[in-house]
Amino acid sequence: MAKSLLLVGVGGQGTILVSKILSEGLLEEGYDVKMSEIHGMAQRGGSVTTQIIFGDKVYSPTINKGEADVLVSFEKLEAARYVPLLKKGGTLIVNEEEMYPLPVLGGLEKYPDGIMEELKDKIEKVISINARVIAEELGEPRSQNIVMLGLIVKALGLENIDWKSKIMKFLPERVHEVNIKAFERGINV
Amino acid sequence: MKKLLTGNEAIARGTYEAGCLVASAYPGTPSTEILENISQYEEIYSEWSTNEKVALEVGAGASIAGARALVAMKHVGLNVAADPLFTIAYEGVNGGLVVITADEPGMHSSQNEQDNRLFAPHAKVAMVEPSDSQECKDFIKHAFEISEEFDTPVLFKVTTRVCHSKGTVELGSRVEVGIKEYVKNPKKYIMTPANAKTKHLEMEETRIPRLMEYSNNSPLNKIEWNDRKIGIITSGAAYLHAKEVFGDTVSYLKVGFSWPLPDKLFREFAEGVDKLYIIEENEPYMEQFIKAMGIECIGKEIFSVCGEINPQIIREAILGEKVEEGYKLDIEVPSRPPALCAGCPHRGIFYALSKHKNKIVVTSDIGCYTLGSAPPLATGDTVICMGAGITAGIGFDKVNQMADRGKKTFGIVGDSTFFHSGMTGLVNAVYNKSNMVVVILDNRITAMTGHQENPGTGKSLSGVEAPQIDIEGLVKAIGIKESNIRVIDPYDMDANANAINDALVATEPFVIITKQPCALIKDVQKRRANLYCQVNQDKCKKCKTCLRIGCPAISMKDNVVSMDTSMCNGCTVCLQVCPFKAIESFGEEVI
Ligand code: SF4
Ligand code: SF4
Ligand code: SF4
């Protein structure tokens, strides 16, 4: 049976990088992998999604309403936006990071209160962390996404794959050490 | 060796393996990464052309000279390149010529949704449609062979889902096909009416019938017989979605070579199944052909011509299965539209223009600055296509004058767009005595598609140094008087205001060139890394003026206005608009 993973976040958060690392590892493990990314106007702070489906044989690269086995959100509000795509009984992994969309910054709309409570109330399986706090402890706020990678790997039970070499492949050398640490923190949450 | 590749990467790989020698393109989502990947193969000369028509003509020249050539563009790009396409179809090729059209069902980042399969019968060029990354790589090689064997350019149609999805691909090695001999042949390559008439006949009588024969026997069109109660004719990504829904429980005719369409194969398949469905994205391209053959089938009666198809849509339409809803929250989720980045050089000029809202009309164009039309800046009346920022402005301005509206027209265009199709518009503005103002936002990069080089950046696609075309010199040469040109720094709000004021009273075509590189260029980020602004809370009157410039780094939380210093690059636009001098700037440039 194929498993589907939907990753959502805000442009610039590094969700695509995490998807690339994940797909590469899954491929190496011998899965048939399809990954699909939709970035409207890249990097301009809009909402970004990537989809990964893996299994013995995968045809369609798309995940629709109520189909994702796992929804990974790099930001709270995006989790709320995309939960209709999560399968009933599926797992939600969420970073408690808050990033205000422009209409909220400008006071035109409101960033809703109590998102985490509502998510935990409605969804049976929620795993949440504050990746920013962990990343800041490590001295590199931008490694939040790799903390999330660790968490995803743990939640999917994919620890046996050699993720560290993938992280090193996709990231520049000067940030290898801190990102390996970030990954370990994510796995050991 | 197996690798995980996007469709675009696989196309690049296939192009390499096919022995292609020349590749050209203008960047555009979802096609951009094709050339970016091709440029990594030293064996292939690759370039960013100034627009898609230029790219196709470069490719055609290379093909006639004897080399295999590949040209890539997004769907709307093919509109620009349609002119050469229709005639190159007559001339045919020498070395194989493949033209990629990357369509966007669903319009994730395009101004329209158009089904470019329809170009193939119109231009009479052979067409190939892959479904996934492996096919992208394999079909590109077929496409070059078809091109050479049938003496036709080949249209290679992909969609966002094919371009941007990753799948496993078995890699092969490059086959050097070399450069074919070029023999001068005016009857084939000079399309005067007399030659074109002969060519047209020859095409109809020889080339197309041969292609039809091929279509019915092509390995790219294949039937998968399973249970015969339901038969599905499909192509591209729609095949994958259908396969996801039905697996091996129904029969398929997958069309990979789609112009001319395989009539005999259609009939054979239709006769072999009880009920026939056509699943295709956007237009009923195959369906109309099949229905015209007198074959009964179901297609757009149950599928929309708008948007992407996915497994869920197929499940609902054919099986009548309503999908079980996922989770629902009781929370109102605010939208998250894309916005000009923190420190974007376009913000200042847009804000300055918004101050004149009632006196001006702004015809905008395609690029990051399209986002200037969104609130809170909300500066922009029209966006049509590349180059129309100037040309639509000319027309708008003429009518404004006829109607005596007393409004000045400002046409917005980026540096890359100016080279793409803005220059001809500016020539027209000068020649036809337009009274409009053209604002060229020179941010030293093609930003919207992800930072590609262009003739103004001083670098080529492969990163080698290149001559830098001087926009100001060009504008002068086109005939804008020196006294009607302002070259300004858009971070400087006084300069923005002064230039606009001068433009408002000008009685001749006027050009403002804003020069400041995109805030996301790596060197710029490094240089400005330590610069930032912050609010002095004792002075802030919470007037919210700074919030209205739409910088994502500025927020008001718990009634405190502040800047996210990790995002802010110290452009000081907010500082300059604050009426209470409550914002201060810090840090120094890294040199
Ligand atoms: S200086 Fe002001 S406008 Fe410029 S990036 Fe910083 S917060 Fe935004
Ligand atoms: S990418 Fe550059 S030009 Fe585009 S919005 Fe961001 S800063 Fe502005
Ligand atoms: S513009 Fe100045 S005074 Fe007004 S809210 Fe912003 S910082 Fe405060």
Side-chain angles (χ1 to χ4, degrees):
Chain A
M1 257 303 272
K3 238 187 162 40
S4 57
L5 201 62
L6 178 69
L7 296 100
V8 304
V10 178
Q13 276 194 307
T15 56
I16 293 182
L17 179 74
V18 168
S19 313
K20 279 186 181 156
I21 295 175
L22 275 169
S23 315
E24 197 79 20
L26 291 165
L27 172 75
E28 205 178 88
E29 196 52 21
Y31 289 110
D32 188 19
V33 184
K34 282 245 159 91
M35 168 188 152
S36 174
E37 43 181 89
I38 291 295
H39 41 84
M41 295 164 173
Q43 294 179 308
R44 313 301 178 262
S47 107
V48 177
T49 69
T50 58
Q51 321 188 328
I52 299 173
I53 309 178
F54 64 98
D56 293 340
K57 178 76 198 151
V58 180
Y59 291 105
S60 171
T62 58
I63 303 172
N64 308 291
K65 255 190 291 169
E67 282 184 0
D69 293 302
V70 183
L71 170 64
V72 182
S73 182
F74 288 63
E75 202 268 358
K76 266 187 341 197
L77 183 64
E78 295 312 300
R81 189 188 312 285
Y82 285 99
V83 285
L85 276 84
L86 182 64
K87 185 183 277 174
K88 283 272 162 73
T91 308
L92 170 69
I93 302 176
V94 54
N95 181 9
E96 291 180 28
E97 171 83 342
E98 245 177 44
M99 288 177 79
Y100 282 15
L102 198 59
V104 173
L105 292 174
L108 299 171
E109 287 185 68
K110 201 176 148 291
Y111 194 96
D113 292 323
I115 297 181
M116 284 316 299
E117 290 75 14
E118 172 84 4
L119 288 171
K120 285 182 179 155
D121 189 42
K122 292 272 161 65
I123 298 162
E124 299 82 49
K125 290 185 212 149
V126 179
I127 305 172
S128 67
I129 55 164
N130 194 324
R132 171 178 286 273
V133 172
I134 298 172
E136 274 169 359
E137 271 171 34
L138 294 169
E140 176 56 271
R142 280 189 300 182
S143 66
Q144 268 189 73
N145 60 341
I146 303 299
V147 175
M148 291 298 289
L149 174 69
L151 195 65
I152 300 166
V153 163
K154 170 85 176 300
L156 292 174
L158 295 168
E159 293 99 327
N160 57 324
I161 298 172
D162 176 14
W163 297 105
K164 287 180 189 164
S165 70
K166 307 279 157 330
I167 293 171
M168 280 154 69
K169 180 176 161 192
F170 284 99
L171 282 163
E173 211 183 316
R174 67 193 153 74
V175 293
H176 280 176
E177 214 188 299
V178 66
N179 277 293
I180 299 283
K181 275 195 200 137
F183 178 70
E184 279 165 355
R185 290 288 302 270
I187 262 200
N188 295 319
V189 166
Chain B
M1 189 176 64
K2 271 206 168 141
K3 257 189 118 169
L4 202 55
L5 299 180
T6 62
N8 282 349
E9 288 165 343
I11 290 172
R13 179 70 196 187
T15 305
Y16 164 78
E17 290 179 11
C20 176
L21 290 170
V22 174
S24 53
Y26 183 81
T29 313
S31 70
T32 312
E33 301 82 8
I34 297 172
L35 257 278
E36 287 182 332
N37 282 288
I38 289 181
S39 72
Q40 285 164 22
Y41 298 112
E42 279 170 13
E43 293 85 346
I44 308 175
Y45 164 79
S46 52
E47 68 166 47
W48 288 132
S49 307
T50 45
N51 66 35
E52 297 81 2
K53 171 174 145 68
V54 173
L56 180 48
E57 289 156 356
V58 168
S63 158
I64 293 170
R68 285 192 168 179
L70 181 116
V71 186
M73 59 198 69
K74 69 181 291 176
H75 60 312
V76 288
L78 193 58
N79 302 338
V80 178
D83 193 13
L85 179 71
F86 279 67
T87 304
I88 293 160
Y90 278 38
E91 298 190 12
V93 304
N94 185 17
L97 175 63
V98 178
V99 183
I100 294 174
T101 171
D103 293 9
E104 235 202 352
M107 286 184 280
H108 303 283
S109 59
S110 302
Q111 64 268 44
N112 75 11
E113 192 173 46
Q114 64 184 47
D115 190 337
N116 278 4
R117 289 179 301 174
L118 297 167
F119 264 108
H122 193 14
K124 305 182 198 231
V125 292
M127 176 164 57
V128 167
E129 276 181 77
S131 292
D132 60 13
S133 297
Q134 180 71 53
E135 286 189 357
C136 278
K137 201 209 75 169
D138 297 342
F139 284 17
I140 273 283
K141 296 202 221 171
H142 281 291
F144 277 110
E145 280 156 21
I146 293 166
S147 173
E148 286 173 5
E149 189 181 335
F150 297 94
D151 192 19
T152 172
V154 174
L155 193 60
F156 197 83
K157 183 205 140 116
V158 282
T159 56
T160 308
R161 287 293 163 189
V162 177
C163 292
H164 284 175
S165 293
K166 278 196 179 193
T168 44
V169 178
E170 184 73 51
L171 302 189
S173 46
R174 178 171 166 97
V175 180
E176 293 295 348
V177 293
I179 300 178
K180 284 192 177 171
E181 193 194 350
Y182 165 71
V183 186
K184 194 171 167 133
N185 187 352
K187 285 200 163 59
K188 179 162 160 45
Y189 297 124
I190 297 184
M191 280 307 101
T192 54
N195 291 343
K197 277 177 198 159
T198 322
K199 267 284 158 196
H200 191 187
L201 256 184
E202 191 185 300
M203 245 187 0
E204 298 295 341
E205 285 173 353
T206 324
R207 189 200 288 168
I208 296 174
R210 277 184 66 218
L211 280 168
M212 287 185 84
E213 183 63 30
Y214 174 78
S215 185
N216 281 309
N217 298 297
S218 169
L220 307 188
N221 293 333
K222 57 170 204 276
I223 293 178
E224 293 172 31
W225 288 122
N226 295 306
D227 189 287
R228 299 188 179 219
K229 274 196 223 52
I230 290 180
I232 292 173
I233 297 181
T234 180
S235 67
Y239 165 74
L240 301 176
H241 303 320
K243 202 74 189 188
E244 186 70 45
V245 174
F246 296 105
D248 292 337
T249 62
V250 301
S251 297
Y252 301 91
L253 168 49
K254 178 184 179 303
V255 178
F257 182 84
S258 52
W259 197 84
L261 283 164
D263 55 346
K264 290 191 190 115
L265 217 52
F266 281 159
R267 196 168 300 282
E268 180 195 333
F269 186 71
E271 277 162 7
V273 298
D274 298 343
K275 200 159 188 188
L276 181 62
Y277 291 95
I278 317 297
I279 306 181
E280 57 189 328
E281 270 171 332
N282 291 151
E283 301 305 317
Y285 169 74
M286 295 192 288
E287 181 184 334
Q288 278 176 355
F289 181 87
I290 292 164
K291 283 187 171 155
M293 287 174 68
I295 296 172
E296 219 175 286
C297 64
I298 304 165
K300 293 297 164 185
E301 297 93 330
I302 56 169
F303 294 105
S304 172
V305 293
C306 303
E308 287 186 292
I309 279 183
N310 62 41
Q312 219 161 63
I313 292 173
I314 297 174
R315 221 169 266 134
E316 276 194 48
I318 297 185
L319 300 175
E321 273 176 24
K322 278 266 173 257
V323 244
E324 207 196 322
E325 278 280 330
Y327 291 95
K328 255 206 183 123
L329 303 188
D330 298 322
I331 291 182
E332 219 19 75
V333 182
S335 60
R336 191 187 293 277
L340 294 175
C341 307
C344 174
H346 303 330
R347 181 167 287 108
I349 184 86
F350 275 120
Y351 185 71
L353 283 167
S354 73
K355 296 270 113 184
H356 300 276
K357 253 188 208 116
N358 303 324
K359 280 178 282 167
I360 64 171
V361 165
V362 174
T363 49
S364 196
D365 213 305
I366 311 286
C368 286
Y369 43 90
T370 309
L371 299 171
S373 309
L377 293 165
T379 310
D381 290 87
T382 65
V383 169
I384 306 173
C385 62
M386 300 280 288
I390 300 180
T391 39
I394 298 171
F396 211 126
D397 182 55
K398 294 281 177 203
V399 174
N400 269 351
Q401 290 192 26
M402 286 175 207
D404 208 8
R405 293 194 181 122
K407 283 195 175 185
K408 193 89 179 172
T409 306
F410 284 72
I412 310 282
V413 68
D415 47 341
S416 192
T417 309
F418 182 68
F419 293 120
H420 178 281
S421 48
M423 294 191 293
T424 44
L426 189 63
V427 169
N428 194 52
V430 171
Y431 175 61
N432 289 304
K433 296 190 182 160
S434 173
N435 193 27
M436 77 177 299
V437 183
V438 173
V439 188
I440 305 173
L441 306 176
D442 182 4
N443 64 355
R444 316 266 82 197
I445 207 80
T446 312
M448 176 63 114
T449 41
H451 292 99
Q452 287 74 30
E453 307 295 340
N454 71 48
T457 63
K459 278 209 184 118
S460 75
L461 165 57
S462 26
V464 223
E465 240 171 87
Q468 214 168 342
I469 313 294
D470 169 25
I471 295 181
E472 193 189 344
L474 201 53
V475 166
K476 277 186 208 156
I478 286 174
I480 302 284
K481 290 187 196 146
E482 192 138 13
S483 55
N484 289 329
I485 301 174
R486 299 288 179 277
V487 180
I488 58 165
D489 172 2
Y491 284 162
D492 180 345
M493 294 309 288
D494 286 338
N496 285 325
N498 292 338
I500 293 169
N501 285 335
D502 291 348
L504 282 169
V505 296
T507 52
E508 288 173 324
F510 196 95
V511 171
I512 299 171
I513 303 171
T514 68
K515 273 192 180 295
Q516 187 63 252
C518 163
L520 294 193
I521 295 175
K522 284 238 159 59
D523 289 343
V524 176
Q525 282 181 316
K526 243 188 246 157
R527 183 159 57 77
R528 306 187 70 92
N530 298 331
L531 296 176
Y532 67 96
C533 283
Q534 201 45 273
V535 178
N536 179 336
Q537 298 299 342
D538 297 336
K539 291 191 190 167
C540 174
K541 298 265 193 293
K542 326 233 180 284
C543 69
K544 297 192 184 167
T545 309
C546 57
L547 291 172
R548 284 194 284 273
I549 64 172
C551 176
I554 311 177
S555 65
M556 187 163 184
K557 277 188 203 174
D558 307 324
N559 211 31
V560 175
V561 178
S562 67
M563 280 101 206
D564 178 337
T565 49
S566 68
M567 279 169 100
C568 171
N569 78 346
C571 76
T572 75
V573 168
C574 56
L575 178 152
Q576 295 172 65
V577 303
C578 172
F580 300 101
K581 306 214 175 326
I583 302 176
E584 293 159 5
S585 74
F586 300 91
E588 270 171 30
E589 277 193 24
V590 184
I591 311 163

